[in-house]
Amino acid sequence: LNENHIQGDSIDKIRLGLYYDGELVSLMTFGSIRKIMGGTNINGNYELTRFCNKLNSNVIGGFSKLFNFFIKNNNPIKVITYADIRWSGLNELDTVYAKNGFKYVGNTPPNYWYLKVGEYNNRYHRFNFRKDILIKEGFDSRLTEFEIMKLKGYDRIWDCGNMKFEFMKMD
């Protein structure tokens, strides 16, 4: 994930991979629905948090193979996921999610991430840099979160929002 997904690694309970000649070429991860994304943890509800193929590779059918394996082995009631509009475009029907049984729910508003100046390969979620945390680190409470982050050597990048998708189990 750190080498092949723009958001880097994630802490998830379930990690599934496809291998070709002993090399990991596709990866999908699932966890509990994150509270930060407005979800509640209910048994049988999951969030698909990451999917990627090895850089410069195309794994035809990789998403469906991994997702179907997950469904068969975990019997979820609901799975949600988000697609970054910058990479997925605005047509929800052209996404791997729609092509694999997910229903388009709607778009989220634009949001921001932090980047360490000079290290642009990883984005860091703003939740990790809340003002209350920064003040506990000793920064001046009169400064804004962004002003403090600039002092720490970070810049921020805005996204275009996300498309939200939901997969509901059919009985």
Side-chain angles (χ1 to χ4, degrees):
L1 288 172
N2 284 329
E3 295 173 15
N4 298 287
H5 196 285
I6 193 165
Q7 290 178 274
D9 201 358
S10 64
I11 301 170
D12 295 305
K13 295 176 184 175
I14 301 170
R15 294 171 176 247
L16 305 174
L18 291 176
Y19 289 83
Y20 180 77
D21 285 340
E23 181 179 17
L24 181 63
V25 294
S26 192
L27 179 66
M28 185 177 283
T29 68
F30 297 87
S32 300
I33 296 176
R34 296 173 289 166
K35 291 179 185 177
I36 193 168
M37 301 303 281
T40 55
N41 285 330
I42 299 172
N43 277 346
N45 288 353
Y46 293 89
E47 183 175 349
L48 189 166
T49 54
R50 300 283 194 278
F51 171 72
C52 66
N53 293 319
K54 182 178 178 185
L55 283 179
N56 304 315
S57 299
N58 187 10
V59 182
I60 297 170
F63 184 98
S64 62
K65 283 179 178 61
L66 291 169
F67 188 64
N68 288 331
F69 182 87
F70 171 78
I71 296 296
K72 180 180 175 185
N73 289 281
N74 295 278
N75 198 28
I77 296 168
K78 176 169 77 170
V79 178
I80 65 164
T81 195
Y82 297 87
D84 190 319
I85 291 171
R86 290 177 298 166
W87 313 114
S88 299
L90 289 169
N91 185 349
E92 69 274 3
L93 298 177
D94 284 341
T95 65
V96 70
Y97 307 108
K99 293 172 184 174
N100 282 277
F102 284 80
K103 178 185 167 207
Y104 170 72
V105 176
N107 288 353
T108 67
N111 232 317
Y112 64 91
W113 298 75
Y114 283 106
L115 301 167
K116 184 77 170 162
V117 173
E119 300 173 15
Y120 300 108
N121 289 332
N122 289 314
R123 297 183 301 170
Y124 302 97
H125 198 277
R126 67 196 169 282
F127 185 76
N128 298 316
F129 303 105
R130 296 185 320 273
K131 188 172 177 180
D132 63 309
I133 293 173
L134 298 170
I135 291 169
K136 286 179 186 172
E137 290 179 8
F139 288 96
D140 188 340
S141 64
R142 295 173 291 181
L143 297 175
T144 66
E145 170 195 300
F146 184 51
E147 289 170 328
I148 295 170
M149 290 305 291
K150 287 194 297 185
L151 290 172
K152 288 177 61 94
Y154 287 82
D155 201 351
R156 93 182 141 187
I157 183 172
W158 290 86
D159 64 24
C160 298
N162 292 285
M163 287 184 279
K164 182 178 179 179
F165 292 90
E166 188 174 272
F167 179 90
M168 298 292 286
K169 181 183 170 196
M170 299 292 183
D171 289 327

